[in-house]
């Protein structure tokens, strides 16, 4: 049984993969001080509630928060008696090439999304991920990661707006009925929603023009369906793209070991 862990700046996701499907997925806040013992108590309790009795024998980790990886490694060693694959480490091979400037460190989450999207849709892709940052990752025809765009995430922008302007309230992200707001909340909702629709549409158009070819757009992240409302920004939405990418990378490394 494989445990796939995606550790982002805001949340950490744990998924149990039985080789054909995900049996369960759980999400917790990312906290650098959380110990291996705390992870195990939380995870084992949830597995019992789901009546998952099979033993975890393999683990793969993608983390944009390096300090969290240590305790996740301890979790694997202490409780699952295995050494995890960590995306971005030298002992974790990638099924796709990475073609960026020499010395550039590409976030493991972006590489995982690239592997997952290429496995499902082939090449010439743009992967839009709505996380703490909103990222656009460009995948070549042969599946190589060739660069992308990083912009502030939607919730990050809202927090910055509220923190910098004391008179502006915290608001939820939603699609407003009108572009022109007639009160403060409506004005903020319009600015965030239509501002990000324009950002996404504009960046996608510029990438496609620069690449001079047809490209498939795959979106992932919790806010992707919201920004698809009434628009045709994305060709596909993949809720589990990152987790799928982790299983693809794990399978690739296992197959390499067996050949």
């Amino acid at each position: 049984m494989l445990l796939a862990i995606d550790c982002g700046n805001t949340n950490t996701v744990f998924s149990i993969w039985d080789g054909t499907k995900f049996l369960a997925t759980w999400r917790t806040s990312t906290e650098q001080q959380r110990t291996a013992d705390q992870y195990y108590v939380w995870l084992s309790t949830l597995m019992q509630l789901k009546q998952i009795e099979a033993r975890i024998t393999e683990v793969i980790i993608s983390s944009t928060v390096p300090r969290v990886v240590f305790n996740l490694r301890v979790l694997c060693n202490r409780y699952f008696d295995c050494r995890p694959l960590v995306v971005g480490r030298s002992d974790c091979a990638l099924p796709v090439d990475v073609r960026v400037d020499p010395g550039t460190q590409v976030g493991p989450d972006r590489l995982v999304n690239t592997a997952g999207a290429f496995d499902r849709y082939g090449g010439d892709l743009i992967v839009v991920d709505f996380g703490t940052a909103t990222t656009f990752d460009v995948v070549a025809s042969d599946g190589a990661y060739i660069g992308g765009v990083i912009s502030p995430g939607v919730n990050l922008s809202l927090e910055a707006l509220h923190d910098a302007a004391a008179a502006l309230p915290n608001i939820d992200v939603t699609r407003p009925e009108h572009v022109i707001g007639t009160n403060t909340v409506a004005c903020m909702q319009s600015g965030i929603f239509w501002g990000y629709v324009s950002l996404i549409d504009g960046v996608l158009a510029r990438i496609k023009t620069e690449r001079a070819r047809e490209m498939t757009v795959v979106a992932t992240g919790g806010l992707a369906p919201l920004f698809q409302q009434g628009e045709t920004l994305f060709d596909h939405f993949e809720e589990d793209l990152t987790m799928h990418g982790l299983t693809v990378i794990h399978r690739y490394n296992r197959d390499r070991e067996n050949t």
Side-chain angles (χ1 to χ4, degrees), residues 121-173:
Y121 299 105
D124 287 326
L125 304 175
I126 306 171
V127 181
V128 186
D129 189 354
F130 291 85
T132 304
T134 300
T135 59
F136 302 74
D137 296 314
V138 183
V139 184
S141 58
D142 63 350
Y145 175 86
I146 58 173
V149 176
I150 301 175
S151 60
V154 177
N155 289 319
L156 190 63
S157 295
L158 282 172
E159 290 173 11
L161 192 62
H162 172 69
D163 291 343
L168 296 181
N170 278 315
I171 64 169
D172 293 328
V173 184

Side-chain angles (χ1 to χ4, degrees), residues 28-202:
T28 186
S29 58
T30 298
E31 296 180 7
Q32 297 182 13
Q33 68 272 23
R34 184 170 288 151
T35 66
D37 300 329
Q38 289 174 315
Y39 278 122
Y40 181 72
V41 170
W42 173 80
L43 183 61
S44 60
T45 300
L46 291 173
M47 290 178 66
Q48 289 175 9
L49 290 173
K50 274 283 190 179
Q51 298 182 335
I52 299 175
E53 299 179 356
R55 180 172 170 270
I56 293 172
T57 57
E58 298 176 283
V59 180
I60 183 168
I61 301 169
S62 169
S63 177
T64 58
V65 187
R67 290 182 60 185
V68 175
V69 175
F70 174 79
N71 283 326
L72 291 175
R73 281 181 172 272
V74 174
L75 168 72
C76 299
N77 294 331
R78 181 177 299 168
Y79 291 105
F80 305 136
D81 192 27
C82 71
R83 181 179 179 180
L85 273 174
V86 181
V87 179
R89 299 291 176 90
S90 58
D91 60 343
C92 181
L94 296 175
V96 295
D97 196 11
V98 181
R99 301 189 195 124
V100 294
D101 293 342
T104 300
Q105 293 291 325
V106 180
D109 54 332
R110 306 177 78 179
L111 300 177
V112 171
N113 284 345
T114 295
F118 180 67
D119 182 70
R120 283 186 168 163
Y121 299 105
D124 287 326
L125 304 175
I126 306 171
V127 181
V128 186
D129 189 354
F130 291 85
T132 304
T134 300
T135 59
F136 302 74
D137 296 314
V138 183
V139 184
S141 58
D142 63 350
Y145 175 86
I146 58 173
V149 176
I150 301 175
S151 60
V154 177
N155 289 319
L156 190 63
S157 295
L158 282 172
E159 290 173 11
L161 192 62
H162 172 69
D163 291 343
L168 296 181
N170 278 315
I171 64 169
D172 293 328
V173 184
T174 186
R175 185 182 192 274
E177 294 184 9
H178 306 286
V179 176
I180 302 173
T182 55
N183 57 68
T184 301
V185 170
C187 289
M188 292 175 66
Q189 288 174 335
S190 182
I192 289 294
F193 182 84
W194 294 114
Y196 267 88
V197 166
S198 298
L199 181 150
I200 295 162
D201 193 36

